[in-house]
Amino acid sequence: MSPGRFIVFEGTEGSGKSTQVRLLGERMRAAGLPVDVTREPGGTPAGEAIRTLLFSEAGAGAAPRTVALLHTAARAEHVARRIEPAVASGTHVLCDRFLDSTLAYQGGGSGLPIDELLELQSFAVGNCEPDLRVLIAVDVEVGLQRRFGVDEEVNWIDRAGLDFHSRVQAVFQDRARTYPTQWLVVDGDQPATAVSEEIVLGLRRLFPEFAGL
Ligand code: TMP
């Protein structure tokens, strides 16, 4: 049996990333493919508890290094307990955010050194590298407005301001430009169905097992 693919979705607030993860999960299930849809921070009992802490008042007051460690701890648990076992059993894993979010938010946004964050990620995830990172690229300001318009789970990071989120976007874009074979960049400023089609086309092109999607 071949291992499943590990595909992560990244983007700034209001990029429509969560919708795309859900749509792709539904499409894969309809095509008879085994798939596990999950998110970060979260995806395990310990990870969801860390998520609750991160987005509480206590989390809002935490220092950037503490925040980076909490996100990364949740990720280590996610990899060990959910992602690696699923992939090993032949299940495709679709994950809403992964380690590039720590580089973008805690590195770009909060100003922590990216090389130090990368070392931390390596400790937490070992060899668990995504097969593909999908970047849903949207105008940062439009995304923030969308986020505040519809989402009940607005948190302190969402409220960090346009400069913060522009620095987050810059790191995502820089990573995608520097490692083009690892990333599929999709224009998120289109209707959700068009974004979804673009992602499916990319997956068909890149992975033989997704040819029938
Ligand atoms: P989301 O579920 O809407 O994507 O919210 C998760 C928030 O957490 C989002 O504002 C990005 C932030 N985040 C980090 O700051 N660092 C990380 O490593 C991850 C995974 C998320």
Side-chain angles (χ1 to χ4, degrees):
M1 180 200 41
S2 46
R5 297 288 184 184
F6 176 33
I7 299 167
V8 308
F9 289 71
E10 299 284 6
T12 46
E13 314 304 325
S15 60
K17 175 176 60 51
S18 309
T19 303
Q20 293 306 323
V21 177
R22 180 175 53 74
L23 289 175
L24 184 60
E26 286 166 5
R27 186 138 174 179
M28 285 191 174
R29 271 184 219 108
L33 297 169
V35 61
D36 183 21
V37 175
T38 184
R39 69 170 179 181
E40 292 205 347
T44 65
E48 290 293 333
I50 293 172
R51 183 184 181 98
T52 302
L53 167 60
L54 272 164
F55 298 141
S56 70
E57 223 169 283
R65 281 173 192 270
T66 313
V67 173
L69 285 165
L70 287 170
H71 277 293
T72 309
R75 178 164 308 124
E77 183 70 6
H78 201 197
V79 166
R81 302 271 189 243
R82 184 159 176 177
I83 298 171
E84 281 187 336
V87 166
S89 75
T91 298
H92 305 298
V93 175
L94 307 182
C95 189
D96 189 339
R97 299 195 182 280
F98 195 59
L99 62 83
D100 294 281
S101 277
T102 300
L103 307 181
Y105 283 82
Q106 282 65 58
S110 301
L112 294 179
I114 293 202
D115 54 343
E116 290 179 23
L117 290 171
L118 269 169
E119 275 182 42
L120 189 64
Q121 299 317 298
S122 163
F123 174 73
V125 312
N127 294 325
C128 183
E129 271 286 311
D131 290 292
L132 184 70
R133 292 135 155 111
V134 179
L135 176 59
I136 318 260
V138 291
D139 182 280
V140 176
E141 209 169 347
V142 172
L144 279 175
Q145 280 162 6
R146 212 191 290 175
R147 172 89 185 172
F148 284 110
V150 294
D151 209 317
E152 310 92 46
E153 210 193 330
V154 171
N155 57 56
W156 57 270
I157 303 176
D158 300 323
R159 295 194 202 89
L162 186 57
D163 283 356
F164 179 99
H165 290 284
S166 300
R167 293 197 301 275
V168 169
Q169 177 83 311
V171 173
F172 282 137
Q173 284 173 338
D174 182 59
R175 301 272 303 160
R177 259 195 308 268
T178 309
Y179 305 103
T181 57
Q182 298 178 3
W183 290 82
L184 175 69
V185 182
V186 174
D187 172 12
D189 292 320
Q190 342 170 47
T193 48
V195 177
S196 177
E197 279 310 310
E198 218 178 301
I199 294 171
V200 168
L201 284 178
L203 291 181
R204 283 195 200 134
R205 178 168 50 80
L206 292 166
F207 304 111
E209 57 269 59
F210 296 141
L213 264 187

